[in-house]
Every structure is written in structure tokens, then in C-alpha cells.
Amino acid sequence: MILVDDLLFRPLVSIADVLHSLAVDEMYDVEGVQDELKETHLLYEIGELSHEEYERKKATLEERLEIAEDAHERLRSGKVEVKR
Amino acid sequence: MSSNRYVYGVVEKADFEFDADAVAGADRVYTVDYRSLSAVVSDIDTTDPERTDEDSKAHDEVLRQVLEHDDVGAVVPMQFGMAFKDNRTLKSVLRSAMRAFRKALREVDGHVELGVKLVADEDADYSRDSIREDVGERLSALAESETEDDLFSDRLVLNRSYLVAMDDREAFDDVVADVREEYDDLTVQYTGPWAPYNFVDIHIGAQR
């Protein structure tokens, strides 16, 4: 949670920066994708997905996970440019 | 032959070897001793193996075979990926974590880990809370310890690992069979016996 106090004491963090961080969290939900990967594996194990479906879904999710992790990495490194 | 050692787990000193579909294509599993401990290993070309589905499964299967071995009362499992550059490095790790390994071996002696997942069928009509309470209570009664649920999917009703004494294994199997019969709308995924991954906590440093 972001408190207003927090923002007041950190004048260098602009509202745009904060909104941008929240958007990155929302768009690149690492944990959510990891859960989807685990769910896909489970459904394959209990026989609801064929091997081909499993491999296809897994590949897509792994790609999304890589992009999400990369986005967070760049955000943390402070190299993300916030457009206004 | 590669001199790197991939470690599956640690047991009380034992001398065995067997053929297996091991990690990274290895086909032989054997023990390397350090004083009263033995590491269960296979030979591998790298110290940083990639975690594939196939190799994760191979890791678990080797541990399961170790558990079934007559000379083995307990195994402290390693997480996937612990490989050391030679026997000397491996032994120095065993030396430095000797006390922790001995304690963990005592704690899990005579126990196995069993996994239970209850997955609701698509469009199932059920009460998650009442099933969790009912099944959770019945399984807990026979277990020494259990993990918290990891409900990574909306369809998971329960997802726990249990540490069960070998003597209670049959009774535990029976409860799982009853649950399978009683709840039509659920798929029960019952796995194990596994080495007790979730009930020992030994972290080996990065010095490989």
C-alpha cells in the first residue's frame, strides 16, 4: 500500500513514477504467471491437458514470465523512463 | 568420465549403487562417504544443471528409489541443482554441515513425505471450507507434521504435504482412498512417498 505520507517524505518520487510502478505490477504480475504455470502443470498431471497442449501453454507462460521478470528488473534498476 | 558430483540427498553411512535414469542423462547412482554420512550422487558434466521437467522428475525418482533401499532408514533430500566440482568439495560441505545433517536425519527417521492435492472438477458445486475441514482433520490425525496450503489455482481445494510415520502409512492411504470415493466432484492427486523435502531445512552455501 502506498501512503500519502510516504509520498510527502519522498519528494523525488513523483505521482507519475508511482502510477507507473503500479502499472508495471499490474501488467507484469510475476507471481500470477508463476501460479498459472503451476496450474498448467497440475492440469497436465491429472490428465486434463494433453502433452501438446501442456507444452504449448507452458512455452507461452514461460515467455510471459521472462518478460515480466525483465520489466521488474528494469524498474528496480531505475533505468525505466517515465513518460509524461 | 566427469568428475563433478550431482547430489540427491544425504543418508546415514551406507554403501550402495544402482542403475537409474538420473539427472542430466547419468545412469548410475552411488554413495560417497564422509565419516558417518553418505551423499547419494551421480556423475555430471556441469556444476550448474538446468532445471527441466524431465530432470526434476529424475531427481525425485532417484530419491524415491533411495528410500526404498533396505539399508536406508532416512534421507535428507537436497533441492534440485546441487552439484559439486569433485569429491573433495562435496566432502568439505558434508563436514561443515555435519551437525545439521545428523539432526535432520534423526528428525525424519522412519517417516516419509506424502502429497495430497484436491482439485475441483470444472463447474463443480462444492463447499471449499467444509471439504477442507473434513479432509484436513482426517489427514492431520495421522501425520506428524504438515505444510500450509499453496492454493495457486482457484480449482485447488487443498494442497498439502504430510510427514507420516512409516507405521501410519497404510492408515493414511486408506483415508485418501475414502476421500476419493466420497467426493465425486474432486480429483485427488496423491503422490509419494517422497523424501521429506518440506520438513528439513538445510541450506548449502554457494561454494561448490
Side-chain angles (χ1 to χ4, degrees), chain B residues 6-100:
Chain B
Y6 180 89
V7 182
Y8 299 88
V10 172
V11 297
E12 288 267 1
K13 190 171 181 180
D15 182 17
F16 58 81
E17 69 171 90
F18 56 86
D19 294 335
D21 289 328
V23 169
D27 56 10
R28 190 173 71 100
V29 171
Y30 62 99
T31 49
V32 172
D33 301 336
Y34 177 76
R35 292 172 66 178
S36 64
L37 300 175
S38 295
V40 180
V41 306
S42 56
D43 298 334
I44 187 170
D45 289 332
T46 169
T47 52
D48 189 20
E50 194 191 340
R51 184 182 191 128
T52 61
D53 281 358
E54 200 188 8
D55 277 346
S56 295
K57 207 166 153 197
H59 179 98
D60 291 342
E61 281 303 323
V62 166
L63 279 167
R64 198 215 290 260
Q65 279 179 267
V66 171
L67 268 179
E68 282 168 2
H69 209 276
D70 289 343
D71 294 348
V72 172
V75 56
V76 173
M78 292 288 109
Q79 297 296 338
F80 183 91
M82 299 307 295
F84 299 90
K85 79 173 189 269
D86 51 27
N87 276 3
R88 200 164 144 247
T89 327
L90 167 59
K91 286 181 185 200
S92 85
V93 167
L94 293 176
R95 183 177 61 236
S96 60
M98 179 105 181
R99 191 181 285 191

Side-chain angles (χ1 to χ4, degrees), chain A residues 38-39 45 48 54 58, chain B residues 53 150 152-153 155 189:
Chain A
K38 286 197 254 180
E39 183 182 57
E45 280 182 337
E48 279 192 29
Y54 167 63
K58 189 174 122 185
Chain B
D53 281 358
D150 175 13
F152 54 79
S153 160
R155 289 180 55 191
Q189 193 196 39

Side-chain angles (χ1 to χ4, degrees), chain B residues 57-162:
Chain B
K57 207 166 153 197
H59 179 98
D60 291 342
E61 281 303 323
V62 166
L63 279 167
R64 198 215 290 260
Q65 279 179 267
V66 171
L67 268 179
E68 282 168 2
H69 209 276
D70 289 343
D71 294 348
V72 172
V75 56
V76 173
M78 292 288 109
Q79 297 296 338
F80 183 91
M82 299 307 295
F84 299 90
K85 79 173 189 269
D86 51 27
N87 276 3
R88 200 164 144 247
T89 327
L90 167 59
K91 286 181 185 200
S92 85
V93 167
L94 293 176
R95 183 177 61 236
S96 60
M98 179 105 181
R99 191 181 285 191
F101 278 125
R102 297 213 54 81
K103 180 165 175 282
L105 280 168
R106 271 199 307 278
E107 281 168 5
V108 299
D109 189 26
H111 290 75
V112 288
E113 179 172 323
L114 300 166
V116 179
K117 288 190 181 78
L118 304 183
V119 189
D121 294 348
E122 246 176 330
D123 309 321
D125 183 20
Y126 65 98
S127 158
R128 183 187 284 219
D129 289 347
S130 70
I131 298 174
R132 283 166 62 84
E133 198 181 326
D134 172 38
V135 178
E137 248 172 48
R138 285 151 75 181
L139 294 174
S140 298
L142 292 165
E144 196 87 10
S145 185
E146 66 187 74
T147 57
E148 297 276 319
D149 283 298
D150 175 13
L151 300 180
F152 54 79
S153 160
D154 290 342
R155 289 180 55 191
L156 268 170
V157 178
L158 179 141
N159 175 17
R160 293 177 195 161
S161 294
Y162 293 89

Side-chain angles (χ1 to χ4, degrees), chain A residues 46-62:
Chain A
I46 63 170
E48 279 192 29
L49 291 180
S50 68
H51 187 69
E52 292 75 37
E53 282 173 303
Y54 167 63
E55 288 293 344
R56 193 168 43 77
K57 278 193 151 192
K58 189 174 122 185
T60 312
L61 286 167
E62 279 174 346

Side-chain angles (χ1 to χ4, degrees), chain B residues 176-197:
Chain B
V176 173
D178 291 344
V179 169
R180 193 169 266 152
E181 207 160 292
E182 287 166 36
Y183 291 99
D184 289 343
D185 284 359
L186 298 176
T187 300
V188 179
Q189 193 196 39
Y190 183 36
T191 57
W194 304 115
Y197 291 103

Side-chain angles (χ1 to χ4, degrees), chain A residues 20-61:
Chain A
H20 181 80
S21 303
L22 292 175
V24 169
D25 281 346
E26 175 96 357
M27 269 178 68
Y28 303 106
D29 176 9
V30 172
E31 214 171 288
V33 183
Q34 282 168 339
D35 282 354
E36 275 185 71
L37 260 173
K38 286 197 254 180
E39 183 182 57
T40 305
H41 191 243
L42 175 65
L43 295 182
Y44 169 60
E45 280 182 337
I46 63 170
E48 279 192 29
L49 291 180
S50 68
H51 187 69
E52 292 75 37
E53 282 173 303
Y54 167 63
E55 288 293 344
R56 193 168 43 77
K57 278 193 151 192
K58 189 174 122 185
T60 312
L61 286 167

